[in-house]
Amino acid sequence: MINLDFESEKVYNTGRAPINIHAFKVPLGKVHIIKERCKECGYCWTYCPKEVLEKSDYVNKNGYHPPRIKKGKESACVACGMCEAICPDFAIFVEEIKNE
Amino acid sequence: MIEEAIHPKDIYLRSDRFPHIWCPGCGLGIVLKSYVDAISKLDIPLDHHVLVSGIGCTARLPGYANVDSYHTTHGRAIPFATGLKIVNPELQVTVISGDGDLFNIGGNHIIHAARRNMDILVVCVNNFNYGMTGGQHGATTPEGARTSTTPYGNIEHSFNLPYIMASLGASYVARWTSLHVRQLTKSIMKAMKMKGFSFIEVISPCPPNFGKYNKFNDGLSQMEFFYENSVLDNNADLSEAYIDFSGKRPLIVGEFVQRIRPSYIELERDLIKRAMEEP
Amino acid sequence: MNKKLIKPGNYFMNGNFACAEAALIAGMNFYAGYPITPSSEIMERLSYRLPQVGGHFIEMEDEIASMAAIVGASNAGAKAMTATSGPGFSLMQENIGLAVITETPVVIVDEMRGGPSTGLPTRVGQGDVMQAMWGTHGDHEAIAYAPSSVQEMFDLTIKAFNTAEKYRNPVIVLTDQVIGHMSERLLVKNYEEYEVIEREIRKFPDPIGKVHDFSIDYVPMVIAGKGFHYNIDSLTHDEMGYPSNDPKIEEMMVRHLVEKIRKNEDNIVEYKEYLTDDAEVLIIAYGITARSSIEAIRKLREKGIRAGMLRPITLWPIPKRKIERLSEKIHIIFVPEINFGQYSHAIREHTKVPVKEIHFPPGAVPDPKIIIRNIEGDAT
Ligand SMILES: Cc1ncc(C[n+]2csc(CCOP(=O)(O)OP(=O)(O)O)c2C)c(N)n1
Ligand code: SF4
Ligand code: SF4
Ligand code: SF4
Ligand SMILES: [Mg+2]
């Protein structure tokens, strides 16, 4: 296949910057869930690499169970952004907590 | 820890129209996410982005993005986009539409846009059926698959989209699944920076139609299939990149073509210049 | 004015070239088309002429694409046109509806030939008259001009662009093979003498706050890339441009689309009268058939039959008030057409006097003798 060199690959690299192994702290994430937008597809809790999320008991106005944070996983989120990226309903996002 | 807040991408959305019409587990919301993610990161002014679609579930996508959007007629997004782009090349014209819209009823237009190397990006969301009208079979339905109009299994050969588009001269050709969110975002950004015709196929679940007829109970089971069978191969032999759901062949994804070929807009501007200079 | 426009003066030119040159004077800067006899000379001419004036010409893959492309181009701010004939006109219908519902000004030239289907490609017909009105599905109003000379092909093409802009509606130039192909005298006036309506493009930030306004006939158009971020939709939509299933919204939208034309009918409708003052017998004819009818009227008058003619220049909207008024003093209407009865049906709706059809099969210019024979047989 024709595969011409594509200039400045880095500019377009939208993934997280590789974790600096010399840094002491892994980033911490704060998860926000917009419960009423959720349609319970399960993508966020299935693809969270840290298994932070699970289905909740709460029923939103459309009858769906949005995710919640598992007991004991309150500070397990590493702000990888997978849940935010994979949610088809814009119902979850994560904020990286800056640790000073 | 959990509280209601405003999604950071809402400024790129017509958030007053949410929740959107798509079914639980439909991949279209993910494609929308990738699109808005891409435009939020690129240096192209937001006012220059235009989204055009035909008709179908996918074609509803432009209606949710906070850019100039045109929801046109079934199959005709590409010629409409062609008109927009030629008149105002400053616009970043992106067509996002369904497999049926782009390759069945609109098949004639996409092959000619690729041949002309028209400066637009086409994102085809392939859910292997006509989602909007209840899951009938189309040109992308794999052989043997069941749909609401192939109750005995599909006897027709199906299109292999990247292979077609590459052979027609597209400047950029890629395929992802809706699981490959980050790659898709990056791909959209790359494609928008290319001159000429760019094409991205996004394989996407349609749980209540194609999914239901083909033993995928929900969106998740189709996503799991993508997860298990996707193979990244940028140098794939595209003639082998067709899709079935037997689980016996890899679902090839990647960026297959990136090439520089004079684009329609470049050639047309040159032609006009020559004609105007004639005494 | 661009110095590459056709120079004022007298020409001997065919209808198709006249149409192409007139479009340039009207400010057309985008043409998309697909070849079809008898209209192809329009696109051939424009493929050469448009780039000279800095405009855009593209030969599309079919007429569906051509129509969609001009609607897209107009939404980017261009004055856009396509030209075709019967089979292509059929293919364009769905996207003519797109122009209607999105209120996009465009001009479509349809040169009628014999039909149905591929029919008689090189020979005249007038079988698309009803299609021009009702070809695209759903409620709407059509505007169609019917030139009957090369001069009118020129003048009405310019007018078609103006009317399209004024009412934000597609406008059809409904002509025929003979007018397109025949050459005759054409006078091009000084440019200042032509009224050319430039589009009023809405400025950002938006003073209106919504893309459509169904309560007024005309709002300046929103075009792509200006910062509005509006949605423009082929689905029934509200004033924000958002799709809606609400029958109330459908009513508001369609009423607006229809009323903006109906209310202005008197400003749009045009016609010419020939010897109607003392006429007892009225011919209603358009396009090439009107020319045969003039010859017929001359002969009929020599024989003592007081015939006159109403020639609608806008076939749609139909000059109904004029037909109603003329019906008060004449006792029969004859409608010669190169078809088996089309416009006659619309005329009957607006008159109480008998309407007699004179059918000419597609393929030839109507013979005045046949018109005379029909009228002599019935009128006396
Ligand atoms: C001319 C025309 N024919 C048929 C339809 C009905 N129709 C609406 S959407 C659609 C299929 C859409 O399929 P696809 O493009 O794959 O989109 P999806 O819904 O799967 O995202 C059809 C056949 C139409 N709107 N217009
Ligand atoms: S950001 Fe990553 S780690 Fe945190 S909850 Fe989401 S998916 Fe899990
Ligand atoms: S991915 Fe989004 S819609 Fe799906 S369950 Fe999680 S929050 Fe709900
Ligand atoms: S029918 Fe299929 S494509 Fe349409 S919204 Fe539902 S899941 Fe998505
Ligand atoms: Mg589909």
Side-chain angles (χ1 to χ4, degrees), chain B residues 15-230:
Chain B
S15 52
D16 53 326
R17 301 197 61 217
F18 274 70
H20 52 57
I21 60 160
W22 298 314
C23 309
C26 176
L28 285 164
I30 304 175
V31 181
L32 174 61
K33 175 86 58 53
S34 281
Y35 175 80
V36 298
D37 211 11
I39 64 170
S40 73
K41 286 174 176 148
L42 276 175
D43 54 1
I44 301 168
L46 274 183
D47 291 351
H48 291 179
H49 283 285
V50 181
L51 267 180
V52 185
S53 63
I55 298 295
C57 294
T58 311
R60 291 300 195 97
L61 192 150
Y64 294 112
N66 188 13
V67 295
D68 285 348
S69 60
Y70 295 90
H71 186 209
T72 70
T73 46
H74 194 25
R76 316 306 166 197
I78 288 178
F80 188 99
T82 297
L84 281 171
K85 181 68 185 184
I86 292 175
V87 173
N88 186 357
E90 201 177 52
L91 303 175
Q92 166 51 54
V93 180
T94 306
V95 171
I96 303 189
S97 224
D99 49 328
D101 189 80
L102 292 167
F103 283 94
N104 286 280
I105 193 164
N108 198 24
H109 310 310
I110 197 163
I111 64 179
H112 290 284
R115 171 182 65 77
R116 292 185 183 109
N117 207 19
M118 187 57 66
D119 303 57
I120 56 175
L121 161 61
V122 176
V123 178
C124 173
V125 181
N126 183 1
N127 52 17
F128 307 101
N129 71 165
Y130 299 132
M132 177 64 90
T133 43
Q136 296 82 4
H137 99 282
T140 53
T141 307
E143 288 175 58
R146 307 221 169 219
T147 66
S148 66
T149 50
T150 52
Y152 302 106
N154 181 23
I155 56 169
E156 295 183 18
H157 304 295
S158 67
F159 273 158
N160 169 350
L161 304 184
Y163 187 44
I164 298 176
M165 297 323 289
S167 73
L168 291 168
S171 289
Y172 181 89
V173 179
R175 175 199 272 162
W176 305 105
T177 77
S178 43
L179 194 61
H180 296 83
V181 221
R182 294 189 201 284
Q183 292 90 331
L184 175 59
T185 304
K186 181 174 159 184
S187 208
I188 292 173
M189 293 170 77
K190 270 191 175 181
M192 283 180 176
K193 285 288 182 180
M194 294 287 295
K195 284 201 162 54
F197 188 85
S198 303
F199 177 79
I200 303 172
E201 176 183 10
V202 188
I203 309 289
S204 183
C206 176
N209 292 311
F210 189 81
K212 181 186 76 187
Y213 287 109
N214 294 284
K215 304 200 176 77
F216 294 110
N217 296 330
D218 51 14
L220 202 50
S221 56
Q222 220 169 331
M223 289 287 248
E224 284 297 284
F225 183 91
F226 302 158
Y227 184 75
E228 279 155 24
N229 294 279
S230 298

Side-chain angles (χ1 to χ4, degrees), chain B residues 14 16 47 60 66 68-73 76 79-80 83-84 91 108-109 112 116 268-269 272 275-276 278, chain C residues 4 51-52 55-56 59-62 64-65 68-69 72 95 224-225 227 229-235 242-243:
Chain B
R14 297 192 171 115
D16 53 326
D47 291 351
R60 291 300 195 97
N66 188 13
D68 285 348
S69 60
Y70 295 90
H71 186 209
T72 70
T73 46
R76 316 306 166 197
F80 188 99
L84 281 171
L91 303 175
N108 198 24
H109 310 310
H112 290 284
R116 292 185 183 109
E268 196 232 17
R269 294 297 130 140
I272 292 174
M276 288 181 81
E278 248 178 40
Chain C
K4 290 203 167 165
Q52 292 181 331
H56 309 284
E59 189 171 328
M60 295 300 286
E61 51 273 19
D62 58 29
I64 303 177
N95 289 303
H229 301 191
Y230 281 138
N231 181 51
I232 295 186
D233 218 298
S234 69
L235 283 167
Y242 292 161

Side-chain angles (χ1 to χ4, degrees), chain C residues 102-222:
Chain C
T102 57
E103 302 191 65
T104 303
V106 285
V107 172
I108 303 119
V109 180
D110 175 31
E111 259 167 49
M112 295 183 280
R113 61 191 223 185
S117 191
T118 314
L120 288 173
T122 58
R123 289 174 177 274
V124 68
Q126 290 184 322
D128 305 355
V129 171
M130 281 302 178
Q131 190 185 19
M133 177 63 232
W134 293 120
T136 195
H137 57 279
D139 288 304
H140 61 279
E141 283 294 335
I143 302 172
Y145 290 102
S148 82
S149 62
V150 169
Q151 186 69 51
E152 272 194 348
M153 189 81 157
F154 189 90
D155 297 341
L156 292 177
T157 299
I158 298 176
K159 190 164 271 171
F161 276 96
N162 289 341
T163 308
E165 293 296 339
K166 246 190 202 153
Y167 300 100
R168 289 187 54 187
N169 212 66
V171 172
I172 297 159
V173 178
L174 191 60
T175 180
D176 55 61
Q177 177 270 332
V178 175
I179 306 288
H181 279 171
M182 80 181 170
S183 291
E184 57 184 1
R185 181 173 170 257
L186 167 70
L187 170 68
V188 178
K189 296 186 286 186
N190 290 327
Y191 304 142
E192 313 83 70
E193 293 176 50
Y194 290 105
E195 186 196 14
V196 171
I197 296 180
E198 296 304 341
R199 184 175 309 174
E200 202 183 324
I201 289 170
R202 211 181 301 176
K203 299 240 168 28
F204 192 81
D206 191 7
I208 294 160
K210 52 192 179 186
V211 62
H212 306 289
D213 189 335
F214 299 151
S215 64
I216 45 177
D217 293 352
Y218 180 90
V219 279
M221 191 168 162
V222 166

Side-chain angles (χ1 to χ4, degrees), chain A residues 38-45 67 87-89 91-92:
Chain A
C38 173
K39 290 183 189 155
E40 202 186 320
C41 65
Y43 295 168
C44 56
W45 58 75
C87 172
D89 289 87
I92 188 167

Side-chain angles (χ1 to χ4, degrees), chain A residues 12-80:
Chain A
Y12 305 109
N13 190 347
T14 62
R16 272 181 46 78
I19 288 169
N20 178 0
I21 48 162
H22 302 297
F24 291 106
K25 280 179 183 153
V26 174
L28 256 186
K30 180 178 175 185
V31 179
H32 297 265
I33 295 159
I34 305 168
K35 295 194 196 110
E36 299 308 317
R37 279 188 184 176
C38 173
K39 290 183 189 155
E40 202 186 320
C41 65
Y43 295 168
C44 56
W45 58 75
T46 307
Y47 295 109
C48 168
K50 294 287 167 191
E51 297 179 20
V52 173
L53 304 165
E54 66 181 3
K55 178 155 102 177
S56 71
D57 307 327
Y58 175 80
V59 183
N60 71 13
K61 63 174 186 290
N62 296 315
Y64 298 116
H65 298 278
R68 70 174 171 211
I69 290 170
K70 278 187 194 158
K71 284 252 150 43
K73 295 275 188 172
E74 287 78 5
S75 40
C77 171
V78 293
C80 72

